[in-house]
Amino acid sequence: KAGVTQTPRYLIKTRGQQVTLSCSPISGHRSVSWYQQTPGQGLQFLFEYFSETQRNKGNFPGRFSGRQFSNSRSEMNVSTLELGDSALYLCASSPGPGTYEQYFGPGTRLTVT
Amino acid sequence: AQKITQTQPGMFVQEKEAVTLDCTYDTSDPSYGLFWYKQPSSGEMIFLIYQGSYDQQNATEGRYSLNFQKARKSANLVISASQLGDSAMYFCAMREGQGGGADGLTFGKGTHLIIQP
């Protein structure tokens, strides 16, 4: 069974631009969560989607948004990029909201210059 | 207050020795799950082991075991017979709430484990 895939793996953007990251969960998994990892703040929860609905959102500004499609694939978007948005963005999938385990993808490393 | 505390920023261990990575957690929710993940330098988070708050026995997965002491709110990871490939960052994480909750995983700061030959 294929794991979680994320595209692109690496991205360089300029301040003020926007970016869209993509995540395809494990086949059969219907929940997708997004996390940001930085050296200073560590790993922080961004949001979780299930059945195309956002279940909850972490403490991030409105510039961070996401969505989930009917095939469970998810995208996250960051608008008006700031230098502090440079991070590893990790996507995790799980079977559904009634389960605890989450399996992570390889991440997208975003650099904002 | 931090929900997940990992007190060992870094550890050096000789190959083939057993390793214990410490993790304490804080929650008032009776339903929660505890996880350990391994993150090599490549960045991918690799799931190692899971322990539910209602599980009576400590979880084991191959060389990994979780020493779950509920009253002390402790969930230490034990790696038996360490290998060079075990060198990585290790994160303890918790998810609160019935049915997996909706707030995602809360992670500790991590422990950087280095296995020496």
Side-chain angles (χ1 to χ4, degrees):
Chain A
K1 194 184 252 191
V4 179
T5 58
Q6 291 186 245
T7 56
R9 293 292 311 277
Y10 302 92
L11 206 50
I12 299 175
K13 288 286 189 179
T14 304
R15 252 184 318 176
Q17 289 185 316
Q18 75 164 13
V19 67
T20 299
L21 312 181
S22 180
C23 170
S24 292
I26 292 170
S27 177
H29 284 194
R30 298 169 62 197
S31 285
V32 173
S33 298
W34 289 88
Y35 295 84
Q36 181 197 63
Q37 185 177 26
T38 60
Q41 298 299 317
L43 282 146
Q44 294 183 285
F45 170 70
L46 277 158
F47 27 64
E48 180 182 14
Y49 286 88
F50 172 72
S51 289
E52 303 176 62
T53 301
Q54 187 180 91
R55 293 188 75 213
N56 209 344
K57 184 174 181 179
N59 189 23
F60 280 84
R63 300 185 296 107
F64 291 82
S65 63
R67 60 178 175 168
Q68 186 181 34
F69 302 94
S70 58
N71 62 357
S72 296
R73 190 177 71 86
S74 176
E75 290 181 347
M76 67 162 282
N77 184 78
V78 187
S79 63
T80 319
L81 284 166
E82 301 177 359
L83 294 178
D85 297 333
S86 294
L88 179 66
Y89 289 89
L90 292 159
C91 165
S93 82
S94 62
T99 56
Y100 281 99
E101 63 264 34
Q102 293 195 334
Y103 299 91
F104 284 80
T108 294
R109 191 166 294 279
L110 171 66
T111 301
V112 182
T113 62
Chain B
Q2 285 191 30
K3 288 196 170 185
I4 298 287
T5 303
Q6 294 181 253
T7 57
Q8 306 150 311
M11 285 184 72
F12 288 87
V13 173
Q14 287 296 122
E15 189 180 8
K16 298 181 185 175
E17 288 184 351
V19 182
T20 298
L21 304 181
D22 296 339
C23 173
T24 56
Y25 60 93
D26 183 27
T27 181
S28 57
D29 198 317
S31 298
Y32 53 90
L34 296 160
F35 303 79
W36 278 92
Y37 287 90
K38 171 184 178 181
Q39 188 178 41
S41 56
S42 60
E44 184 168 359
M45 297 288 282
I46 301 168
F47 168 76
L48 295 178
I49 198 165
Y50 161 79
Q51 179 87 41
S53 59
Y54 296 115
D55 293 343
Q56 296 296 314
Q57 294 193 327
N58 288 343
T60 59
E61 290 285 350
R63 294 187 299 115
Y64 304 105
S65 60
L66 199 152
N67 185 1
F68 182 44
Q69 298 188 42
K70 195 170 183 177
R72 297 178 60 185
K73 294 189 175 179
S74 164
N76 297 342
L77 176 71
V78 180
I79 306 174
S80 63
S82 59
Q83 302 170 356
L84 295 178
D86 293 333
S87 295
M89 283 292 292
Y90 288 80
F91 291 94
C92 180
M94 176 174 65
R95 187 162 185 172
E96 299 166 275
Q98 187 69 34
D103 293 337
L105 291 166
T106 301
F107 286 87
K109 298 286 187 189
T111 295
H112 189 191
L113 176 65
I114 297 174
I115 307 297
Q116 297 175 310

